[in-house]
Amino acid sequence: MTIRVLLADDQALVRSGFRMILQSEPDMEVVGEAATSDEAVALARSTRADVVLMDIRMPGMDSLAATRAITGDEDLAGVRVLILTAFETDEYVLHALHAGASGFLGKGVEPAGLLDAIRVIARGGALLSPAATKALIARYLALPDPASDPAPDMESLTEREGQVLGLVAAGLSNVAIGERLHVSPWTAKTHVNRIMAKLGARDRAHLVVIAYQSRLARSGA
């Protein structure tokens, strides 16, 4: 399956570099380039890209607002946003996740890391495994009245689903979850999909945010 990628960055040289890296891969295709956030939203709708590489600072509409416009559009339900930035701060990561981004990546990433990230995002995964990222989410969501939606009702989850959600929040893959719970990766994936459906989560990144909102996961836990 070819992964259709939309490049959104106000610097033509940066877009050119990303295009060269992506076009060298047999499973990737660059379907468009946007120099502003408004163009990114319009091209996401016209190209139906699988993944949008979104620079966090671009002219026009705020990039996070553009991310919300894409992830909040029911007609673009299959489009994932991967935020690219030179500003790897706690605040940017948190706001990117709340805007609906499926991942957050520094521009200093190696080409192999960028390609892996795109594949993970395209499969519906998220770039939330580093302990530092989980810790900063916990820290910000612990603040009074954090800038986030109310946590969904967790009563609908079974005991096993609660365990799985906690392991997702800890950054474990389906394979690792299966090993921890002595079930197959397919069974683990089925649990994750059911949890997402029950909690209305967009993807695994959203599940991690929900886990911290509900206090099911805590920094260092």
Side-chain angles (χ1 to χ4, degrees):
M1 183 185 71
T2 300
I3 302 173
R4 296 162 52 81
V5 183
L6 169 62
L7 305 177
D9 194 294
D10 63 332
Q11 298 184 41
L13 187 60
V14 172
R15 296 197 309 272
S16 176
F18 284 145
R19 175 182 282 275
M20 282 197 332
I21 294 172
L22 271 56
Q23 294 286 60
S24 67
E25 297 300 302
D27 63 337
M28 294 188 189
E29 175 189 4
V30 175
V31 296
E33 296 186 23
T36 69
S37 299
D38 302 87
E39 288 180 2
V41 174
L43 283 173
R45 288 172 177 152
S46 63
T47 65
R48 298 304 173 98
D50 299 306
V51 177
V52 179
L53 296 187
M54 178 84 73
D55 182 26
I56 203 164
R57 286 189 172 180
M58 286 196 298
M61 181 194 310
D62 176 82
S63 296
L64 296 183
T67 298
R68 288 190 197 92
I70 293 171
T71 61
D73 189 334
E74 292 184 359
D75 291 335
L76 300 179
V79 181
R80 309 289 183 184
V81 178
L82 174 58
I83 296 290
L84 294 169
T85 180
F87 309 97
E88 297 181 72
T89 66
D90 293 358
E91 181 180 4
Y92 279 123
V93 175
L94 181 73
H95 290 326
L97 294 177
H98 282 310
S102 295
F104 186 94
L105 204 60
K107 284 188 174 180
V109 65
E110 294 292 329
L114 174 64
L115 295 172
D116 286 344
I118 292 172
R119 292 184 178 107
V120 168
I121 296 298
R123 290 195 301 265
L127 301 176
L128 292 173
S129 57
T133 301
K134 298 197 299 291
L136 73 87
I137 295 174
R139 184 163 62 251
Y140 271 86
L141 292 179
L143 295 174
D145 192 25
S148 61
D149 296 328
D153 183 7
M154 308 296 284
E155 295 297 324
S156 62
L157 300 184
T158 65
E159 182 178 354
R160 174 48 62 92
E161 288 170 346
Q163 292 176 328
V164 172
L165 178 56
L167 295 175
V168 170
L172 274 65
S173 65
N174 290 336
V175 173
I177 292 173
E179 292 174 349
R180 183 72 64 86
L181 299 180
H182 306 292
V183 299
S184 70
W186 178 257
T187 298
K189 181 179 180 179
T190 299
H191 282 309
V192 172
N193 288 340
R194 286 176 179 168
I195 295 168
M196 290 175 62
K198 286 183 177 182
L199 300 182
R202 295 178 296 271
D203 48 35
R204 291 175 83 99
H206 195 189
L207 279 184
V208 174
V209 173
I210 289 173
Y212 282 107
Q213 285 178 312
S214 66
R215 302 302 187 265
L216 176 65
R218 295 181 176 80
S219 177

